[in-house]
Amino acid sequence: MYLQFYQQRILLTSILIMLFTAIVVGLSVALPLFQSAQQGIDKATRISVQAHTNSLDHLLQGYHNIAEQFTSRTEIRKRLVAYSQGDLSLQAVVEFSQPRLADAARKIPSLAAFYRLGPEGEIITRSHEGELGFDSVSELFPDIEGASLSFRQNPNLHKQLAPIGFYFTDTSLLIVATAPIRDPQKQVVGMDVLIFAPDQWLDRLQSPEHLHPSTRLYLYNPQNHQAWSIRNHQAQPLESGDSLLTTLKQHPNQSYLTPIDQQEHTLFQSPLEQAPWDLIVALPQSTLYHKAYDDLLWALVSIALMMLIGGILTHQAIQPLIKRLSRQAEEIQASEKALRQAASVFDNTKEAIAITDADFRLSKVNHAFEQLLASSDELARYRSLTRLMTTESADPDHLRSILEQVEARDHWQGEIWYQTPSGEKLPALQTISAVRDKQTKQIEQLIHIFNDISQHKAKENHMKHLAHFDSLTQLPNRASTMQELERRLASLKKGESLAVLFLDLDRFKPINDTYGHECGDEILRDVAKRLNNHVRPEDWVGRLGGDEFLILLTGTDMARNARTIALKLIESLEVPFSTKERHLSLSASIGIALAPQNGNQVRALLKLADQAMYQAKSNQNSPVGLVDDLQTSG
């Protein structure tokens, strides 16, 4: 009884899960189809809007062509050129031009008014006054308000005036076409301004093909953010806080916007090529996507009915298998998830990973490995991981030792150096783990995980350099120099002697105090270069600190040679130093101690050389002092 109840409950639950899964699958199919249909509607509407915009542009281009033809009348243009050059009076130009232009204007359909401007922007001829109520042609060009309408004062004025523009009245708009008038030298001497009645253009504007009657049309100027609603040949400006205008400001230069605040409309924005305005077409979303919504509803209803019928028909068939299928489905899903996670970790981890066989032949690498060592194309050439290693790391004995440890412990970790295709050497802290066959226990694969330690190595080398070298002059520092002195004393051969030259700069402190530490540092760097340039490659030059330096010379007959070298060093330092357009002079004093003649202890020799240097400072005859001279003086 209870067993049957639980079986029925499990069966019912399984069927419900199956139906729910089927619904989810149906939605996953239907929703992308709906989105595709929606995108198709959007694309078709944009194409329709673009075609409509092209049609409107074609009419505007016709207005501009009429303006250029109006301007091209040669005899009338010659009179205006003569007037601009002072060869003809204004009255003569007007008497000649007015009747001829008025006659030409009467032959142009939908032309409401015209103006011909002279070189100073003055009106030469015009249609009958009072027709449109413009007392000044500047009212038609608010975009250049405050600028001169004189073509002489503003030669680029015609470029500021769009060939085609709109002038909005209280309830409608006018189409304004301009065309410059040029003299034989191509200089602008005037301009024709033609004003057309918009009836034909508005008729075309308000009858877009393939658009619903509820469509709303707007003209929008992205330069000054003005927008006008066009309806029934009426033009109404949008207030600055209007939601449509706010949306257009927030999305400049967009061809497709949706939605607008709380209004369920979709906007299609298409710029007019002939005028600095955009056509805005606003469609209710319920109207625009009505067919897509209906198709989605019917698809969902059909899917639901089919799944329900299918569930009922397969009730008996799936009853004995429901538990097994559920368990297998869970196992498969868990396995797939684990595989996806493992693949995701392998591909997306920042650590470079490579999989090879037991002989280091590559079988798979992740993206981090390709970025670190070689691209996929280059790996196809290498095939073996050892070909990416440096010669030392790829040594057969070294690799054999690694494999022996992996065989014994199933893993190995250590430092291996690689060489990238560009020739750069790259140190890596590498971990190698073994994957064995479950039956034979033989190593099938090796998993290599790489950590780039080049920055660590660079920091380590930098710290070593800082520990042994002076950061300013890049000479060995005091500690390194003392170690080198001990080494040379210990390695002196029979017949050789070691000269310890203690050098101190004269007049350096006043220069450093007068011109600043930056100047002093520059001089110290130059001193280091000069000292290195005047000693042998096997000699040693180190900085003890401040303006004190120590030079170590090893060889025979150092008692005589050391003084000669010291004088050359002082001579090199007496050449003026050039720093920031200054020429500064220095000198130096050098004290010399010899080993083993004067001893073989580091501190004793250093002290003796220091005393000899101070003796040389006080001796006006020679800037070089020997320990023997010091003893004689004492």
Side-chain angles (χ1 to χ4, degrees):
M1 182 73 177
Y2 287 104
L3 180 60
Q4 184 179 3
F5 170 76
Y6 282 115
Q7 287 178 346
Q8 291 177 352
R9 185 173 179 180
I10 293 173
L11 179 60
L12 179 61
T13 303
S14 301
I15 293 176
L16 291 176
I17 293 174
M18 183 193 67
L19 292 175
F20 176 75
T21 305
I23 292 173
V24 172
V25 172
L27 289 175
S28 66
V29 174
L31 289 178
L33 290 177
F34 170 75
Q35 292 177 351
S36 177
Q38 189 179 39
Q39 293 173 0
I41 293 173
D42 290 342
K43 182 177 180 180
T45 306
R46 284 198 294 269
I47 293 174
S48 178
V49 171
Q50 184 61 51
H52 188 57
T53 304
N54 293 339
S55 176
L56 295 174
D57 269 323
H58 181 71
L59 282 179
L60 293 178
Q61 179 65 44
Y63 292 135
H64 183 247
N65 292 341
I66 291 173
E68 289 184 334
Q69 294 173 5
F70 198 80
T71 303
S72 64
R73 297 174 179 272
T74 306
E75 292 302 324
I76 305 176
R77 176 168 51 83
K78 287 182 178 179
R79 297 304 194 278
L80 182 60
V81 172
Y83 165 69
S84 68
Q85 295 174 351
D87 298 334
L88 196 64
S89 67
L90 175 60
Q91 181 178 359
V93 175
V94 172
E95 290 177 354
F96 184 84
S97 303
Q98 179 69 41
R100 290 166 173 80
L101 291 178
D103 181 64
R106 284 191 291 271
K107 300 176 182 179
I108 300 175
S110 71
L111 181 64
F114 73 87
Y115 297 85
R116 170 158 289 195
L117 306 183
E120 298 295 338
E122 71 275 25
I123 297 176
I124 301 298
T125 62
R126 61 183 297 174
S127 58
H128 295 296
E129 296 183 4
E131 290 184 6
L132 296 174
F134 295 114
D135 296 327
S136 171
V137 75
S138 61
E139 296 179 30
L140 294 170
F141 307 115
D143 293 338
I144 60 168
E145 184 176 355
S148 172
L149 277 172
S150 171
F151 294 99
R152 289 176 176 171
Q153 298 179 13
N154 189 1
N156 294 322
L157 176 60
H158 66 286
K159 297 180 180 179
Q160 302 175 22
L161 303 177
I164 292 292
F166 297 118
Y167 179 83
F168 291 90
T169 65
D170 293 337
T171 59
S172 186
L173 61 85
L174 297 171
I175 298 174
V176 181
T178 64
I181 305 171
R182 303 178 184 272
D183 61 13
Q185 287 74 37
K186 303 302 181 181
Q187 298 296 320
V188 177
V189 297
M191 177 174 286
D192 280 337
V193 180
L194 277 64
I195 304 174
F196 294 91
D199 296 339
Q200 183 183 5
W201 194 79
L202 289 176
D203 288 340
R204 180 72 60 85
L205 172 66
Q206 297 179 97
S207 60
E209 297 180 0
H210 312 300
L211 293 181
H212 196 269
S214 60
T215 302
R216 296 181 183 179
L217 301 172
Y218 302 88
L219 287 177
Y220 171 65
N221 190 330
Q223 297 177 355
N224 55 23
H225 301 294
Q226 292 182 354
W228 292 74
S229 173
I230 309 298
R231 185 179 298 177
N232 298 328
H233 284 231
Q234 299 292 317
Q236 295 294 332
L238 298 185
E239 299 295 336
S240 58
D242 189 277
S243 60
L244 182 141
L245 192 56
T246 302
T247 300
L248 292 175
K249 290 180 181 179
Q250 293 174 350
H251 301 81
N253 302 323
Q254 296 295 315
S255 60
Y256 175 59
L257 310 174
T258 181
I260 305 172
D261 295 339
Q262 298 178 352
Q263 300 179 12
E264 297 298 327
H265 281 74
T266 300
L267 292 186
F268 296 89
Q269 181 177 357
S270 181
L272 294 169
E273 294 184 1
Q274 301 299 324
W277 289 77
D278 292 353
L279 173 63
I280 308 297
V281 178
L283 289 168
Q285 292 186 8
S286 59
T287 300
L288 182 63
Y289 304 124
H290 176 72
K291 188 177 184 303
Y293 291 142
D294 289 345
D295 292 343
L296 175 63
L297 179 60
W298 281 111
L300 293 178
V301 170
S302 300
I303 290 173
L305 289 175
M306 286 188 294
M307 293 302 102
L308 182 60
I309 295 172
I312 295 174
L313 294 177
T314 57
H315 176 276
Q316 296 299 324
I318 67 172
Q319 186 174 8
L321 302 175
I322 188 68
K323 291 183 179 180
R324 183 183 301 176
L325 291 177
S326 298
R327 185 172 58 255
Q328 290 178 350
E330 291 176 357
E331 293 175 354
I332 292 173
Q333 186 176 7
S335 299
E336 290 180 349
K337 183 178 181 181
L339 290 174
R340 287 196 301 269
Q341 290 177 343
S344 177
V345 170
F346 180 81
D347 289 332
N348 299 320
T349 183
K350 294 182 179 179
E351 294 180 320
I353 302 176
I355 299 176
T356 70
D357 61 11
D359 294 325
F360 288 88
R361 286 190 291 268
L362 289 164
S363 60
K364 189 174 183 180
V365 300
N366 66 350
H367 298 308
F369 182 93
E370 294 179 357
Q371 294 177 353
L372 184 66
L373 292 175
S375 67
S376 56
D377 294 337
E378 293 162 341
L379 289 173
R381 290 189 291 109
Y382 292 127
R383 291 187 295 278
S384 176
L385 185 62
T386 58
R387 297 189 64 182
L388 291 170
M389 299 178 184
T390 60
T391 304
E392 296 79 5
S393 294
D395 180 71
D397 293 337
H398 182 228
L399 296 178
R400 190 180 305 110
S401 173
I402 292 175
L403 289 175
E404 288 175 355
Q405 294 188 43
V406 173
E407 183 70 38
R409 305 175 185 176
D410 280 348
H411 73 276
W412 176 89
Q413 186 178 61
E415 183 179 307
I416 294 181
W417 284 76
Y418 289 87
Q419 186 164 346
T420 65
S422 62
E424 178 185 0
K425 290 187 176 181
L426 183 73
L429 179 61
Q430 186 165 335
T431 301
I432 303 176
S433 301
V435 178
R436 297 180 181 270
D437 183 88
K438 291 183 179 181
Q439 296 179 351
T440 64
K441 303 302 180 180
Q442 296 296 320
I443 294 178
E444 286 188 332
Q445 292 179 325
L446 296 176
I447 299 177
H448 307 257
I449 300 177
F450 306 79
N451 287 287
D452 181 6
I453 57 173
S454 56
Q455 292 185 355
H456 174 75
K457 285 289 185 181
K459 289 181 181 179
E460 182 180 325
N461 293 333
H462 181 64
M463 294 302 296
K464 289 181 180 178
H465 181 82
L466 292 179
H468 294 90
F469 289 86
D470 175 52
S471 60
L472 176 63
T473 62
Q474 302 304 312
L475 292 176
N477 57 17
R478 185 183 186 90
S480 296
T481 302
M482 294 300 100
Q483 292 176 2
E484 179 66 13
L485 179 55
E486 288 183 357
R487 188 191 67 79
R488 293 200 177 205
L489 285 172
S491 60
L492 273 178
K493 298 178 180 179
K494 185 176 181 180
E496 287 185 338
S497 59
L498 171 65
V500 180
L501 279 65
F502 195 113
L503 184 148
D504 182 82
L505 298 177
D506 299 329
R507 299 195 301 275
F508 176 74
K509 187 176 184 303
I511 291 176
N512 198 40
D513 295 341
T514 302
Y515 300 106
H517 294 290
E518 184 178 350
C519 178
D521 291 346
E522 187 175 350
I523 288 178
L524 289 176
R525 284 192 289 268
D526 199 355
V527 167
K529 293 178 182 178
R530 296 187 187 188
L531 294 178
N532 270 325
N533 290 338
H534 286 80
V535 297
R536 299 169 302 178
E538 63 268 21
D539 295 330
W540 182 277
V541 179
R543 184 188 179 195
L544 299 181
D547 57 353
E548 295 179 343
F549 298 83
L550 199 70
I551 299 97
L552 304 179
L553 310 174
T554 304
T556 58
D557 198 13
M558 275 294 112
R560 179 174 58 84
N561 293 337
R563 179 186 292 273
T564 303
I565 294 173
L567 290 173
K568 289 183 179 179
L569 293 176
I570 293 173
E571 182 181 355
S572 71
L573 297 179
E574 289 177 346
V575 178
F577 293 83
S578 299
T579 60
K580 294 184 178 179
E581 300 181 357
R582 299 189 186 97
H583 299 284
L584 304 175
S585 297
L586 285 178
S587 61
S589 300
I590 297 178
I592 303 175
L594 299 174
Q597 292 91 325
N598 303 130
N600 56 7
Q601 298 297 319
V602 171
R603 291 188 177 181
L605 286 172
L606 197 63
K607 183 177 181 181
L608 289 173
D610 185 25
Q611 293 175 353
M613 181 271 296
Y614 277 105
Q615 178 69 24
K617 277 185 178 289
S618 60
N619 187 357
Q620 298 181 353
N621 296 326
S622 174
V624 178
L626 291 170
V627 173
D628 294 341
D629 298 337
L630 180 64
Q631 294 172 351
T632 302
S633 173

